[in-house]
Amino acid sequence: MLEGTPEIPVIDFAPFLEGTASSRQAVATEMRQASREWGFFYLANCGMPEKQLAEAFAASKAFFSLPVEAKNRVAWQNAESNRGYVGIKRERLDPARPGDLKEAFNLAPEQPGPGAHRNRWPAGPPDFEAVMTRFLDECIATADRVLEGFALALDQPADFFVGAHDQHHHTLRLLHYPPLPEGFEPHDGESRAGAHTDYGSITLLFQDSVGGLEVCTRSGEWIRATPMPGTVVVNTGDLMHRWTNHVFSSTPHRVNVAPEHRHRDRYSIAFFCHPNKEAEIACIDTCATAETPPIYEPISAGQHLQEKLTSTYGA
Ligand code: CA
């Protein structure tokens, strides 16, 4: 790392989970600062059981190693359900660039009701559905703890965000970036995932040891978010940017092909949090001042998401 290169903050969450009111507030203050300046931080001791995380990565690897025909049997169908397998180059996160060199599998907490979208479970690996269902529950619990931190960071009641997310309209996304073929040179701008911001409120990202995630600093420089064992990367998305009247950043990030990782697989798991569809996203009171009045009209979270998804998939 060059001298003077800024570093993405690392926040220890243990004092929030186990500490006194003042240690919780101290952690929340760190989260506030990191989200203002970076929109990204590493969170250590987030409370996710290591065993379930390891099981989820193993099940993800097993799924992606299936023949493509098997994966296509549970292919992603449309932005409304947003579930299932997305093959390599299906997606264009950055519409100006070629398709991304990755494959993904999306699943989500099941909603009640006869018309609700269902997960597209593959016939195998045998324990895939059970492992992912358990892991999904752990992700929801982890996200709720983190959302409590964000509420305190903005001087809101502890349940401010958790209450607005209690219908669990989240998406869990397994990602696999295959090794690039021998002799393959990425075309201009072709990377593992194009530069983008996330749509929702917050994202939790679990990375394996193969790096590639890069984050754009406020001065427009791309820096590597090197995997740190025992941490989850937390970032704030477009909806949180809007909700906080731009106090929290929604920072562009991408996954690049580092020369030393061209011939290695990379796996990651992202949990995208979205508020209840009917939740009104209106400027949070502590985010507006006389000098910085609300920038946006209120919008429902559902309408915000649908607009974003339609532009990514061209659906
Ligand atoms: Ca992302």
Side-chain angles (χ1 to χ4, degrees), residues 40 93 175 177 193-194 196-199 203 205 213 235 251 253-255 270 272:
F40 266 85
L93 283 173
L175 287 147
Y177 303 89
H196 66 282
T197 55
D198 288 346
Y199 311 148
T203 304
L205 177 72
L213 177 65
N235 67 280
T251 299
H253 51 286
R254 66 187 183 191
V255 182
F272 300 100

Side-chain angles (χ1 to χ4, degrees), residues 61 101 103 116 129 185 208 220 300:
K61 276 185 197 178
L101 300 172
E103 55 183 344
E129 180 173 349
E185 285 300 317
D208 69 5
S300 76

